[in-house]
């Protein structure tokens, strides 16, 4: 199981959804390449020609576990405030380091001169970035007529790396707390990584620029109008690009998340799509009536295509669905709407 803190379990990572959108997930993390726009960096990566690229330790810990701070500190200025961060030395010139950082942070990089390929492969091997190292070796077997090389890494590597950040005790770089009201009306706090949340959610990025308290030396932000279980599910998506509700047909949770992901609230279009796809996959004759009931209650004006799919499924198996306990518990009007026996 996974947890953001010891008492917040998010379940086993075996989901129905296996396909990740490279263009959306990887692109989100390009924000970390623009230090002036993204969250404040907390590590400096130094090349052999003594040039610095500022970055974020939680990403490097899971992507390049063999690279460790050398004991020196680098000072830089942000908004008039001097900040000191640890330095990690790498065995590569700045041009190669710049390319390497793009692969570490986003799994993507533009085409580059073939002469960079060998030092890039050596750096990937030294830092135990096995996915990039293997891709570099394959690139050596190809012919690059124009002298420009191109490597494409599958987005699943970045997804897996971010998934490691949710493991209990996986790292100590959780630098922000989110405070939310739990179902038992008690406040609970979830320890997370500012840079990951800022990249994946504009809503949370804006939240983390506002008012906050300090708890155990960390900024703590209150998240309103959302339950603990719903926030935990959204955080799972933010870190893993997926969701794993328990039970799998927890329609209360699924439709609430779909509602929260809509443009009017958190505006997470991919999560909105993932949730709809998940609902379609878990529908069966026993739960389709319950799915319809929860859909009408939670998001009646949202995702018309999904509602149509639920209705079509129920009507295709009319006899079996009409005998279920869930269908019998529906109000007569909802039974008629589900089966198409009345005009809306």
């Amino acid at each position: 199981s996974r947890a953001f803190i010891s008492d917040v379990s998010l379940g086993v990572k075996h989901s129905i959804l296996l396909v990740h959108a490279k263009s959306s997930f990887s692109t989100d993390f390009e924000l970390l390449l623009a230090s002036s726009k993204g969250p404040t960096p907390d590590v400096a990566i130094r090349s052999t020609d003594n040039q610095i690229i500022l970055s974020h330790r939680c990403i490097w810990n899971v992507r390049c576990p063999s690279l460790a701070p050398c004991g020196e500190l680098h000072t830089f200025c942000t908004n008039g405030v001097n900040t000191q961060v640890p330095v990690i030395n790498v065995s590569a010139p700045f041009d190669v380091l710049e390319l390497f950082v793009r692969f570490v942070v986003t799994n993507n990089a533009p085409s580059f001169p073939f002469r960079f390929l060998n030092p890039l492969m050596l750096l990937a091997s030294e830092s135990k970035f096995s996915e990039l190292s293997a891709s570099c070796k394959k690139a050596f077997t190809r012919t690059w007529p124009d002298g420009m090389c191109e490597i494409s890494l599958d987005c699943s590597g970045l997804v897996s790396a971010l998934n490691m950040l949710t493991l209990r005790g996986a790292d100590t770089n959780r630098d922000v707390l989110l405070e939310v009201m739990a179902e038992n009306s008690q406040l609970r706090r979830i320890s997370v990584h500012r840079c990951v949340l800022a990249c994946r959610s504009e809503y949370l990025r804006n939240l983390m620029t506002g008012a906050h308290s300090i708890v155990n030396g960390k900024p703590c932000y209150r998240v309103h109008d959302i339950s603990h279980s719903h926030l935990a599910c959204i955080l799972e998506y933010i870190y893993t690009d997926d969701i794993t509700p328990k039970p799998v047909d927890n329609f209360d949770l699924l439709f609430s998340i779909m509602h929260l992901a809509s443009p009017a609230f958190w505006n997470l279009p991919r999560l909105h799509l993932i949730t709809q796809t998940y609902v379609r996959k878990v529908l069966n004759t026993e739960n389709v009536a319950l799915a319809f009931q929860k859909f009408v209650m939670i998001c009646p004006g949202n995702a018309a295509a999904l509602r149509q799919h639920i209705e079509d499924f129920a009507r295709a198996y009319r006899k079996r669905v009409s005998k279920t306990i869930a269908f019998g518990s529906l109000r007569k009007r909802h039974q008629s709407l589900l089966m198409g026996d009345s005009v809306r």
Side-chain angles (χ1 to χ4, degrees), residues 277-304:
T277 304
Y278 195 102
V279 169
R280 292 169 186 261
K281 288 182 178 290
V282 300
L283 278 182
N284 58 49
T285 55
E286 293 295 322
N287 66 23
V288 66
L290 177 62
F292 181 77
Q293 180 188 40
K294 297 299 182 181
F295 182 94
V296 171
M297 289 173 55
I298 298 171
C299 43
N302 201 348

Short mmCIF file of all heavy atoms in Angstrom, two decimals, residues 277-304:
data_model
loop_
_atom_site.label_atom_id
_atom_site.label_comp_id
_atom_site.label_asym_id
_atom_site.label_seq_id
_atom_site.Cartn_x
_atom_site.Cartn_y
_atom_site.Cartn_z
N THR A 277 -13.84 7.14 -17.93
CA THR A 277 -13.39 5.87 -18.50
C THR A 277 -13.47 4.76 -17.46
O THR A 277 -13.89 3.64 -17.75
CB THR A 277 -11.95 6.00 -19.02
OG1 THR A 277 -11.89 7.07 -19.96
CG2 THR A 277 -11.49 4.71 -19.68
N TYR A 278 -13.10 5.08 -16.24
CA TYR A 278 -13.14 4.11 -15.15
C TYR A 278 -14.57 3.64 -14.91
O TYR A 278 -14.84 2.44 -14.76
CB TYR A 278 -12.55 4.74 -13.88
CG TYR A 278 -12.21 3.75 -12.80
CD1 TYR A 278 -10.90 3.34 -12.59
CD2 TYR A 278 -13.20 3.22 -11.98
CE1 TYR A 278 -10.60 2.43 -11.60
CE2 TYR A 278 -12.90 2.31 -10.99
CZ TYR A 278 -11.59 1.92 -10.80
OH TYR A 278 -11.29 1.01 -9.82
N VAL A 279 -15.52 4.60 -14.85
CA VAL A 279 -16.92 4.24 -14.62
C VAL A 279 -17.41 3.29 -15.71
O VAL A 279 -18.09 2.29 -15.43
CB VAL A 279 -17.79 5.51 -14.56
CG1 VAL A 279 -19.28 5.15 -14.60
CG2 VAL A 279 -17.48 6.32 -13.32
N ARG A 280 -17.09 3.59 -16.95
CA ARG A 280 -17.51 2.74 -18.06
C ARG A 280 -16.99 1.31 -17.89
O ARG A 280 -17.69 0.34 -18.23
CB ARG A 280 -17.02 3.30 -19.39
CG ARG A 280 -17.68 4.61 -19.80
CD ARG A 280 -16.96 5.24 -20.99
NE ARG A 280 -17.48 6.54 -21.32
CZ ARG A 280 -18.37 6.79 -22.29
NH1 ARG A 280 -18.82 5.79 -23.03
NH2 ARG A 280 -18.78 8.02 -22.53
N LYS A 281 -15.78 1.16 -17.38
CA LYS A 281 -15.16 -0.16 -17.27
C LYS A 281 -15.72 -0.98 -16.12
O LYS A 281 -15.68 -2.21 -16.17
CB LYS A 281 -13.64 -0.01 -17.13
CG LYS A 281 -12.94 0.42 -18.41
CD LYS A 281 -11.43 0.49 -18.21
CE LYS A 281 -10.73 0.87 -19.52
NZ LYS A 281 -10.78 -0.22 -20.51
N VAL A 282 -16.21 -0.33 -15.07
CA VAL A 282 -16.67 -1.10 -13.90
C VAL A 282 -18.18 -1.31 -13.89
O VAL A 282 -18.69 -1.99 -13.01
CB VAL A 282 -16.24 -0.43 -12.58
CG1 VAL A 282 -14.72 -0.33 -12.50
CG2 VAL A 282 -16.87 0.94 -12.39
N LEU A 283 -18.89 -0.77 -14.85
CA LEU A 283 -20.34 -0.96 -14.90
C LEU A 283 -20.68 -2.43 -15.12
O LEU A 283 -20.04 -3.13 -15.92
CB LEU A 283 -20.96 -0.15 -16.04
CG LEU A 283 -21.26 1.33 -15.81
CD1 LEU A 283 -21.91 1.91 -17.06
CD2 LEU A 283 -22.13 1.56 -14.60
N ASN A 284 -21.68 -2.91 -14.39
CA ASN A 284 -22.23 -4.25 -14.64
C ASN A 284 -23.72 -4.22 -14.33
O ASN A 284 -24.26 -3.20 -13.88
CB ASN A 284 -21.50 -5.32 -13.82
CG ASN A 284 -21.55 -5.05 -12.32
OD1 ASN A 284 -22.62 -4.79 -11.77
ND2 ASN A 284 -20.40 -5.12 -11.67
N THR A 285 -24.40 -5.33 -14.56
CA THR A 285 -25.86 -5.33 -14.39
C THR A 285 -26.27 -5.12 -12.94
O THR A 285 -27.38 -4.64 -12.67
CB THR A 285 -26.45 -6.65 -14.91
OG1 THR A 285 -25.80 -7.75 -14.25
CG2 THR A 285 -26.28 -6.77 -16.41
N GLU A 286 -25.42 -5.47 -11.99
CA GLU A 286 -25.76 -5.31 -10.58
C GLU A 286 -25.61 -3.88 -10.09
O GLU A 286 -26.29 -3.46 -9.17
CB GLU A 286 -24.88 -6.24 -9.72
CG GLU A 286 -25.14 -7.71 -9.93
CD GLU A 286 -26.54 -8.12 -9.47
OE1 GLU A 286 -27.01 -7.59 -8.45
OE2 GLU A 286 -27.17 -8.95 -10.16
N ASN A 287 -24.69 -3.11 -10.69
CA ASN A 287 -24.42 -1.77 -10.15
C ASN A 287 -24.85 -0.62 -11.05
O ASN A 287 -24.71 0.54 -10.67
CB ASN A 287 -22.94 -1.63 -9.79
CG ASN A 287 -22.01 -1.67 -11.00
OD1 ASN A 287 -22.42 -1.40 -12.13
ND2 ASN A 287 -20.75 -2.02 -10.77
N VAL A 288 -25.36 -0.90 -12.24
CA VAL A 288 -25.66 0.18 -13.18
C VAL A 288 -26.78 1.09 -12.65
O VAL A 288 -26.75 2.31 -12.85
CB VAL A 288 -26.01 -0.37 -14.58
CG1 VAL A 288 -27.30 -1.18 -14.56
CG2 VAL A 288 -26.11 0.76 -15.60
N ALA A 289 -27.76 0.52 -11.94
CA ALA A 289 -28.84 1.35 -11.38
C ALA A 289 -28.30 2.27 -10.30
O ALA A 289 -28.68 3.45 -10.21
CB ALA A 289 -29.94 0.45 -10.82
N LEU A 290 -27.39 1.75 -9.47
CA LEU A 290 -26.75 2.58 -8.45
C LEU A 290 -25.92 3.68 -9.09
O LEU A 290 -25.94 4.83 -8.63
CB LEU A 290 -25.86 1.72 -7.54
CG LEU A 290 -25.07 2.46 -6.46
CD1 LEU A 290 -26.02 3.14 -5.48
CD2 LEU A 290 -24.15 1.50 -5.73
N ALA A 291 -25.21 3.34 -10.18
CA ALA A 291 -24.41 4.34 -10.89
C ALA A 291 -25.30 5.47 -11.39
O ALA A 291 -24.96 6.65 -11.28
CB ALA A 291 -23.66 3.69 -12.04
N PHE A 292 -26.44 5.11 -11.95
CA PHE A 292 -27.38 6.13 -12.45
C PHE A 292 -27.89 7.01 -11.32
O PHE A 292 -27.94 8.24 -11.44
CB PHE A 292 -28.55 5.45 -13.16
CG PHE A 292 -29.55 6.42 -13.73
CD1 PHE A 292 -29.29 7.10 -14.90
CD2 PHE A 292 -30.76 6.66 -13.07
CE1 PHE A 292 -30.21 8.01 -15.43
CE2 PHE A 292 -31.68 7.57 -13.58
CZ PHE A 292 -31.40 8.24 -14.76
N GLN A 293 -28.24 6.40 -10.19
CA GLN A 293 -28.75 7.15 -9.05
C GLN A 293 -27.71 8.16 -8.55
O GLN A 293 -28.02 9.33 -8.31
CB GLN A 293 -29.12 6.19 -7.93
CG GLN A 293 -29.66 6.87 -6.68
CD GLN A 293 -29.84 5.91 -5.53
OE1 GLN A 293 -29.00 5.03 -5.30
NE2 GLN A 293 -30.95 6.04 -4.81
N LYS A 294 -26.47 7.72 -8.41
CA LYS A 294 -25.42 8.61 -7.90
C LYS A 294 -25.08 9.69 -8.91
O LYS A 294 -24.80 10.84 -8.55
CB LYS A 294 -24.16 7.79 -7.56
CG LYS A 294 -24.36 6.77 -6.45
CD LYS A 294 -24.76 7.42 -5.14
CE LYS A 294 -24.90 6.41 -4.02
NZ LYS A 294 -25.32 7.03 -2.75
N PHE A 295 -25.10 9.33 -10.20
CA PHE A 295 -24.82 10.33 -11.24
C PHE A 295 -25.84 11.46 -11.17
O PHE A 295 -25.48 12.64 -11.20
CB PHE A 295 -24.84 9.67 -12.61
CG PHE A 295 -24.50 10.60 -13.75
CD1 PHE A 295 -23.20 10.69 -14.21
CD2 PHE A 295 -25.47 11.40 -14.33
CE1 PHE A 295 -22.88 11.56 -15.25
CE2 PHE A 295 -25.16 12.28 -15.35
CZ PHE A 295 -23.86 12.36 -15.81
N VAL A 296 -27.12 11.11 -11.10
CA VAL A 296 -28.18 12.12 -11.07
C VAL A 296 -28.07 12.99 -9.82
O VAL A 296 -28.31 14.20 -9.86
CB VAL A 296 -29.56 11.43 -11.13
CG1 VAL A 296 -30.67 12.44 -10.89
CG2 VAL A 296 -29.75 10.77 -12.49
N MET A 297 -27.66 12.39 -8.70
CA MET A 297 -27.55 13.13 -7.44
C MET A 297 -26.36 14.09 -7.44
O MET A 297 -26.46 15.22 -6.96
CB MET A 297 -27.40 12.16 -6.26
CG MET A 297 -28.65 11.38 -5.91
SD MET A 297 -28.31 10.12 -4.66
CE MET A 297 -27.58 11.10 -3.34
N ILE A 298 -25.22 13.63 -7.98
CA ILE A 298 -23.96 14.37 -7.80
C ILE A 298 -23.64 15.29 -8.97
O ILE A 298 -23.19 16.42 -8.80
CB ILE A 298 -22.80 13.39 -7.55
CG1 ILE A 298 -23.05 12.61 -6.25
CG2 ILE A 298 -21.46 14.12 -7.47
CD1 ILE A 298 -22.10 11.46 -6.01
N CYS A 299 -23.83 14.82 -10.20
CA CYS A 299 -23.45 15.65 -11.35
C CYS A 299 -24.48 15.54 -12.47
O CYS A 299 -24.16 15.05 -13.56
CB CYS A 299 -22.06 15.28 -11.85
SG CYS A 299 -21.72 13.52 -11.94
N PRO A 300 -25.71 15.97 -12.21
CA PRO A 300 -26.77 15.82 -13.22
C PRO A 300 -26.53 16.59 -14.51
O PRO A 300 -26.98 16.20 -15.58
CB PRO A 300 -28.03 16.35 -12.49
CG PRO A 300 -27.49 17.27 -11.44
CD PRO A 300 -26.18 16.65 -11.00
N GLY A 301 -25.83 17.73 -14.43
CA GLY A 301 -25.62 18.54 -15.63
C GLY A 301 -24.25 18.35 -16.24
O GLY A 301 -23.81 19.16 -17.05
N ASN A 302 -23.55 17.29 -15.86
CA ASN A 302 -22.17 17.09 -16.27
C ASN A 302 -22.03 15.78 -17.04
O ASN A 302 -22.70 14.80 -16.72
CB ASN A 302 -21.29 17.05 -15.00
CG ASN A 302 -19.84 17.35 -15.31
OD1 ASN A 302 -19.44 17.38 -16.47
ND2 ASN A 302 -19.07 17.57 -14.27
N ALA A 303 -21.19 15.76 -18.08
CA ALA A 303 -20.85 14.52 -18.80
C ALA A 303 -22.09 13.81 -19.35
O ALA A 303 -22.40 12.68 -18.96
CB ALA A 303 -20.04 13.60 -17.88
N ALA A 304 -22.77 14.47 -20.26
CA ALA A 304 -23.98 13.90 -20.86
C ALA A 304 -23.71 12.58 -21.56
O ALA A 304 -24.54 11.66 -21.55
CB ALA A 304 -24.61 14.90 -21.82
#
